[in-house]
Amino acid sequence: MSADRICVFRHPNVLLVSHVRNVIESAGISATLRNMTLAGGAGELPPDQCEAEVWVAAEAEAQASRLVREALDGPAVVAPPWHCPGCGERLEGVFDRCWQCGRARPADDPA
């Protein structure tokens, strides 16, 4: 393939591949999907050549690979729980907004 683009994810499930591409693009990295319709060629073509793929620019490979790991395994660092300054609700660290009153997590919160 192109020397300036790198495959950062490959999987037979096109929905998962599309999800990974969306995660990468939401971080501002341009990503290209390839082999999205080759699954029917499995048997005639080698199986690993039929899997859907996500490709990014070579200079974005490290950041995109980190995003792929987080998309599949969750973030490497889990934020601690916090208390909403608006209503006092205790929230798990994965939330950036209070589900009770809608207030954003304070910027000075250690999470």
Side-chain angles (χ1 to χ4, degrees), residues 15-37:
L15 293 175
L16 182 58
V17 172
S18 293
H19 170 66
V20 166
R21 191 262 325 252
N22 290 340
V23 167
I24 291 171
E25 287 196 333
S26 72
I29 301 170
S30 176
T32 305
L33 295 176
R34 295 189 183 166
N35 300 343
M36 294 299 284
T37 59

Side-chain angles (χ1 to χ4, degrees), residues 35-87:
N35 300 343
M36 294 299 284
T37 59
L38 285 181
E44 297 294 320
L45 298 169
D48 66 333
Q49 299 300 309
C50 298
E51 292 180 339
E53 301 171 338
V54 179
W55 289 67
V56 299
E59 60 270 7
E61 179 184 13
Q63 183 182 5
S65 294
R66 180 185 54 77
L67 291 166
V68 169
R69 281 191 307 277
E70 286 182 6
L72 300 176
D73 302 333
V77 176
V78 177
W82 59 285
H83 285 88
C84 175
C87 68

